[in-house]
Amino acid sequence: MPPSVIRPFRLVGRVLAHTAAMVGLVAVFLALIVATDGAGSGFAAWSATVGIAVVAALWRGRRRPWRGRLAPFLPVFVAAALTLSVCVPTVPTARRHPPALPFVTTEHWSLSTGSRVAVYHYPPTGNGPRHRVPLVYLNGGPVRGISVLDHRFLRRLTREGYDVYTYEQAGGGRSDLLPMDQYSITRSVRDLGAFVDRLGKGRVDVLGFSSGAVLLTRALAEPAIAAHLHRAIIAEPGPMDGPTTRIAGQKGRPSARGIAPAMAGPRSTHLPRYAVAFGFARLGLLSPDNGLLGQAEGDNAFTAADLGSDTASAYCAKDAHRIPVEDTARNFSFSAAASLRVQQTLKDSPAIAPQLRRSRTPAMLMIAECSSQVRQWATAVLADAPAIRRTQYMPGVGHHMWNGLSDNDRRAAAVITAFLQDKPAPLPDYPTRADIPAFLHDHK
């Protein structure tokens, strides 16, 4: 075969060989990131990978002319540059808290647990009667800042005469961070008890949403904390304990997940460092307290767009093309690592059903028609909490039941205020405990 024909094949072969070597080095680097748990911001894995690559390149070129000895180093240089991008931060590594909100004052309370949390107070407004029992709101997450959408809904409740307080859990929003090993579902429950004590207004009503509903459910199983709760509203709860997290059941009517337009805005996961850190942590390949990405840097880097389709899953399929903007880029805050840590402690926790059955705090359960939550998470609470006096199945809404669309906020507020005032429910009491088997069968 003429040299002019052979030469291109040799060139292609060298390119493929270099590419394979480069891919192999990147794979070695990622494996070492996992093995070292990201030690030294990933530089331990990077140094070892480069060292291995240099030795291998020297070995491969040992019998070649001096110019030929440089060729094996080409994939080394390229792989070193690519993997170095995983080790270098692109956002500040010290915590940057969101700026103050223009419509409410941010206070910081030091709790008896050692947590220092951001607190927001919305006094009652309007000309109607004032309700003497304060209302405390627990937002979802866990360890996520309170969205502007939620702040707007809380202000709506003040127009009904409610004195509303809310706080961001330790590590979320404008609250101070904790050492990673101190985040746990137990700490979150203790913080709630300490917050109510610090409030100093006697017994309080509590509205808990999503992971906040989990926190509230577990508080009802703690007699010392439940004694300070006047009424409890458990809205769209996640799993309440370890055994419940292992339930594989059906969800509600179809959500907008997979059909809604992609969320706009920058994504930190488009950068190699944060794609590796957040992706591996979510897969359980890196610990929440890993050495690759510090807690503060991770909080600074994570954006609303990084949530991907999680936001769409909180809305009905019919709302896929009108999902509201839940938060502003300046207010959004989510600690992915701390959230994973809290969720893991929940998975490791024993059953709370025996304690929950002894709770006497009047409670209400709210379930969305298009819920992205496993149905059995809510029905487990209903089955094991005899103090639940009514259940409100909310038609036409997804997991985020108060969302500014149509009259959803008004309907959610009507259900909440009717229960708090012990008035007739706007909706049928459904499902009851007796309805649970049929409810699970009919709402697949």
Side-chain angles (χ1 to χ4, degrees), residues 4 11 99 103 127 136 143 158 195 218 223 232 243-244 248 257 261 264 316 376 384 395 398:
S4 60
L11 179 61
F103 48 79
N127 299 321
V136 175
V143 200
T158 66
F195 178 82
R218 295 183 68 93
T244 315
R257 189 184 190 104
C316 290
Q376 284 88 338
D384 292 322

Side-chain angles (χ1 to χ4, degrees), residues 402-424:
W402 41 88
N403 51 39
L405 299 178
S406 303
D407 66 341
N408 293 341
D409 286 12
R410 180 194 62 78
R411 294 192 296 132
V415 164
I416 290 167
T417 57
F419 175 71
L420 293 179
Q421 297 172 36
D422 202 20
K423 293 182 178 179

Side-chain angles (χ1 to χ4, degrees), residues 15-16 24 40 109 134 200-201 203 221 253 274 302 340 364 377 415:
V15 170
L16 291 175
W109 290 7
K201 291 183 176 289
R203 294 199 300 163
R253 307 295 188 199
Y274 305 110
F302 203 93
L340 288 172
M364 178 178 73
W377 293 347
V415 164

Side-chain angles (χ1 to χ4, degrees), residues 83-120:
T83 52
L84 185 62
S85 65
V86 176
C87 305
V88 180
T90 59
V91 300
T93 56
R95 182 71 175 105
R96 292 184 309 180
H97 292 289
L101 291 166
F103 48 79
V104 66
T105 300
T106 306
E107 299 180 41
H108 286 90
W109 290 7
S110 295
L111 305 180
S112 60
T113 57
S115 299
R116 187 170 181 268
V117 298
V119 179
Y120 310 93

Side-chain angles (χ1 to χ4, degrees), residues 95-96 143 171-172 177 183 278 293-303 332-338:
R95 182 71 175 105
R96 292 184 309 180
V143 200
L177 304 180
Y183 290 105
F278 293 137
L293 191 64
Q295 181 187 173
E297 183 191 350
D299 291 3
N300 294 337
F302 203 93
T303 69
F332 177 82
S333 171
F334 180 62
S335 179

Side-chain angles (χ1 to χ4, degrees), residues 143-225:
V143 200
R144 179 175 174 176
I146 300 172
S147 70
V148 170
L149 198 65
D150 280 5
H151 277 290
R152 188 179 303 138
F153 182 68
L154 297 181
R155 283 183 284 173
R156 183 187 186 96
L157 294 177
T158 66
R159 295 195 292 272
E160 303 283 345
Y162 289 94
D163 192 18
V164 179
Y165 291 84
T166 186
Y167 68 95
E168 288 166 320
Q169 295 172 42
R174 296 164 185 82
S175 294
D176 287 2
L177 304 180
L178 294 175
M180 190 60 68
D181 62 359
Q182 291 188 24
Y183 290 105
S184 69
I185 189 62
T186 301
R187 173 63 171 264
S188 298
V189 173
R190 288 174 51 222
D191 280 352
L192 171 59
F195 178 82
V196 174
D197 285 344
R198 175 74 166 74
L199 186 59
K201 291 183 176 289
R203 294 199 300 163
V204 300
D205 294 326
V206 182
L207 166 61
F209 166 67
S210 193
S211 64
V214 174
L215 198 164
L216 176 55
T217 301
R218 295 183 68 93
L220 293 175
E222 296 284 344
I225 298 175

